Amino acid sequence: MDVYDVALLLVAGLAAGTVNAVAGGGSLITFPALIAVGLPPVAANVSNSVAVCPGYLASVAGSWRDLPPRRTVAALLPTAVLGTTIGALLLLNTPARAFELVVPFLVLGATAVLAFQDPLRRLVGHPRDLGARRRVVTLQAMVLLGTVYGGYFGAALGVMLIAGLALVLDETLARVSALKNLISAVVGLTTVGIFAVFGPLNWAAVAVVAPATLVGGYAGARLVRRLPPVVLKSLIVVFGTVIGGYLLHRALR
């Protein structure tokens, strides 16, 4: 890599860390940047998954005080590790084309769920009206599905997690976003462990992008705490729609 490649990856990492903390989808900044500096698609995807992990950790540090009760959080972590492992193994062992065609619809669907959260809650029931067991099972299922996706590709993971979690948790959007950050960090750490052993990593690219996502992730998490819920929700819906449209266009080219 020359100095221009390094500069491109630094800017992409900073922007991606900030976007991931606010709404998710930062991988759609770093992934094309890694392709642009010459990495093959699979190596770019694997390297990107490892490189954005520090940004997730920084987001957790910036939003730690907004996390839901610790008992709720602790019960979700094993499910997140399991889902991520399944997704990462799918990436390493199956053709990507079929999943590429499904991903845009998952992202757009998740964005629609968040955008029409209130009508959907009236349809399926508000979280506080659900039985305790049904609420726990639904929450675990949301996390499992989201982290399988995160282990496989991960772009717009934040949008998908927020949409699912907000539907089944009776919490403020800031608390849901904080939980999203923690689950995303678990996804990142799990993929680091798997891809470091089995994946075609480009460590030079990771070394450039990762510190930049760290700075951007912390700054983005602090920004989220200051945004009104309506503004935050609108930003996430816009991000999700743009990301889903981009992925759909890319898949159908």
Side-chain angles (χ1 to χ4, degrees):
M1 291 188 294
D2 58 29
V3 64
Y4 298 105
D5 292 337
V6 172
L8 173 63
L9 293 181
L10 283 173
V11 172
L14 183 63
T18 304
V19 169
N20 278 339
V22 175
S27 290
L28 289 180
I29 301 173
T30 48
F31 179 70
L34 290 166
I35 293 288
V37 301
L39 269 66
V42 173
N45 190 16
V46 169
S47 301
N48 176 73
S49 295
V50 174
V52 299
C53 181
Y56 290 140
L57 296 175
S59 299
V60 173
S63 60
W64 186 258
R65 287 182 293 177
D66 292 322
L67 280 171
R70 301 297 185 262
R71 182 179 298 180
T72 300
V73 171
L76 296 174
L77 298 187
T79 303
V81 172
L82 174 62
T84 305
T85 302
I86 294 171
L89 293 177
L90 283 172
L91 172 64
L92 296 175
N93 293 284
T94 61
R97 180 57 183 166
F99 199 83
E100 285 180 1
L101 292 173
V102 174
V103 165
F105 297 100
L106 293 176
V107 174
L108 291 170
T111 304
V113 168
L114 184 62
F116 299 101
Q117 177 185 4
D118 292 334
L120 285 171
R121 277 184 167 178
R122 288 194 291 269
L123 183 64
V124 302
H126 195 279
R128 72 171 69 98
D129 299 326
L130 299 177
R133 183 171 181 176
R134 182 182 174 188
R135 187 165 57 245
V136 169
V137 170
T138 305
L139 180 59
Q140 292 283 359
M142 291 288 187
V143 172
L144 180 64
L145 291 174
T147 53
V148 167
Y149 170 81
Y152 191 95
F153 184 50
L157 171 62
V159 175
M160 299 183 74
L161 286 176
I162 286 181
L165 295 173
L167 195 62
V168 298
L169 285 176
D170 186 20
E171 300 285 358
T172 65
L173 202 54
R175 281 183 172 268
V176 171
S177 181
L179 182 57
K180 175 266 297 181
N181 289 338
L182 180 59
I183 293 173
S184 296
V186 172
V187 171
L189 289 171
T190 305
T191 54
V192 165
I194 295 172
F195 292 153
V197 177
F198 302 108
L201 270 173
N202 185 302
W203 285 107
V206 171
V208 175
V209 176
T213 67
L214 190 66
V215 176
Y218 187 81
R222 304 299 293 180
L223 175 63
V224 166
R225 299 185 74 236
R226 300 184 180 186
L227 289 176
V230 173
V231 175
L232 178 57
K233 183 175 180 178
S234 299
L235 282 173
I236 295 169
V237 169
V238 170
F239 271 123
T241 302
V242 171
I243 290 166
Y246 170 81
L247 287 173
L248 183 60
H249 171 74
R250 187 167 171 266
L252 296 178
R253 280 191 308 182

